[in-house]
Amino acid sequence: MEIARFEVVGRFAPSPTGPLHFGSLVAAVGSYCLARYHKGRWLLRMEDLDAPRVVPGAADDILRTLESFGLEWDGPVVWQSRRGDAYAQALECLRTKGLVFDCGCSRKEVLASAPHQGEEGPVYPGTCRKGLAPGRVPRALRLKVPDQGMHCFVDGVFGRCEQHLADAVGDFVLRRADGVYAYQLAVVVDDAAAGVTQVVRGADLLGSTPRQIYLQQCLGYCVPRYYHLPLVLSADGEKISKRHGAVSVGQGTDPSLMLCRVLRFLGQDLPPHCEKKTPQEILEWATTHFDIRKTPSVGQVVA
Ligand code: GLU
């Protein structure tokens, strides 16, 4: 009897706000190796929704850099900027279920009336949840978050994680006042549409995962398995980001050397003289030997 196999689908979803840096390469290599280790597909999505933050030329630069590392994706690249209809449809579905509401509050008003500071800024106090007060104009669209206690999930690297969504975040934005769809909505809609079963990304997004799982439940989607990778830290213990001047890993760097550094960062024991191999040979080794159980959860400084 033929046993149906569960196909693994992984993805890498960079934001084209600058060239690929060491931290984003960690997410690219980690998601690639885990998907290929499971003989699965690896998809690529450009998260270019937030037009003012998009840097012209950055998306192309990221794609060329991935190619230079031998990181080949399956199928066409998905561009979030072209998926407005899918996001609108998902919002409509949530509206029909009575799960979203128009909010007339400005950022300043939320800040002034928030009951407390949440994990990622002020917690929404619920001002417009029961309808807009007379004279108020709708600005953002928010999802109602019920006060139903802890939201838990088991991360493939961090283990059991939990968040009290109502306390830590509150009713969160799905479409901003400027009409831009929120990252939380887009990522959930896109992962579901592509049949993604495995989300591997940086630990800076650990706090977003309960929101995304809750949205998946509201929309009736399957919940993928999550793996959050350790953060790349600067010498003073801060997360390295493009804003903090992280160096690009593109042109001028030796791809083999860089791949070996990333794999060691992910806790993999490489064979001797690995740096002398081609990127293709290194990836071939990595995709047959990749062991996510060896990946540490604590951030590390990379010299
Ligand atoms: N676009 C996000 C970033 O570059 C990653 C989103 C995700 O992997 O869910 O940080």
Side-chain angles (χ1 to χ4, degrees), residues 11 13-15 45 47 183 187 199-201 204-205 212:
R11 49 63 155 189
S15 306
R45 179 171 73 234
E47 303 216 317
Y183 155 71
V187 76
V199 173
V200 182
R201 59 188 182 189
D204 51 330
L205 290 165
Q212 294 173 13

Side-chain angles (χ1 to χ4, degrees), residues 73-275:
W73 56 91
D74 295 307
V77 177
V78 169
W79 299 80
Q80 284 193 327
S81 54
R82 300 176 196 166
R83 294 202 21 89
D85 288 353
Y87 309 141
Q89 224 169 22
L91 278 187
E92 206 34 54
C93 166
L94 295 168
R95 207 189 269 281
T96 324
K97 294 182 180 179
L99 293 172
V100 291
F101 64 93
D102 288 316
C103 174
C105 303
S106 65
R107 195 187 289 265
K108 231 163 133 184
E109 285 167 331
V110 174
L111 200 68
S113 53
H116 57 268
Q117 190 69 16
E119 283 182 25
E120 280 169 46
V123 171
Y124 182 69
T127 321
C128 307
R129 203 175 216 244
K130 297 213 169 81
L132 286 176
R136 301 285 288 176
V137 280
R139 293 168 53 91
L141 204 65
R142 290 181 183 268
L143 183 75
K144 288 181 190 165
V145 171
D147 192 3
Q148 61 181 43
M150 286 296 179
H151 287 254
C152 305
F153 69 99
V154 178
D155 184 83
V157 176
F158 280 73
R160 186 185 151 87
C161 300
E162 55 179 32
Q163 187 183 60
H164 194 290
L165 210 44
D167 264 6
V169 184
D171 301 332
F172 56 94
V173 172
L174 297 182
R175 197 184 60 218
R176 302 185 335 205
D178 60 4
V180 174
Y181 294 101
Y183 155 71
Q184 308 293 351
L185 177 75
V187 76
V188 159
V189 170
D190 289 341
D191 282 341
V196 167
T197 63
Q198 185 169 276
V199 173
V200 182
R201 59 188 182 189
D204 51 330
L205 290 165
L206 205 50
S208 287
T209 306
R211 255 171 291 177
Q212 294 173 13
I213 294 178
Y214 180 60
L215 253 179
Q216 285 152 359
Q217 290 163 346
C218 290
L219 287 161
Y221 297 161
C222 294
V223 177
R225 181 106 167 90
Y226 285 94
Y227 300 83
H228 287 86
L229 304 176
L231 292 181
V232 182
L233 305 175
S234 62
D236 55 7
E238 292 290 311
K239 181 203 160 199
I240 290 198
S241 70
K242 287 166 219 166
R243 257 169 297 145
H244 292 110
V247 232
S248 149
V249 291
Q251 289 80 30
T253 50
D254 174 351
S256 296
L257 201 72
M258 202 49 93
L259 274 179
C260 290
R261 283 178 71 189
V262 167
L263 288 164
R264 288 206 181 91
F265 180 86
L266 290 170
Q268 309 303 300
D269 305 316
L270 302 183
H273 313 299
C274 211
E275 284 81 356

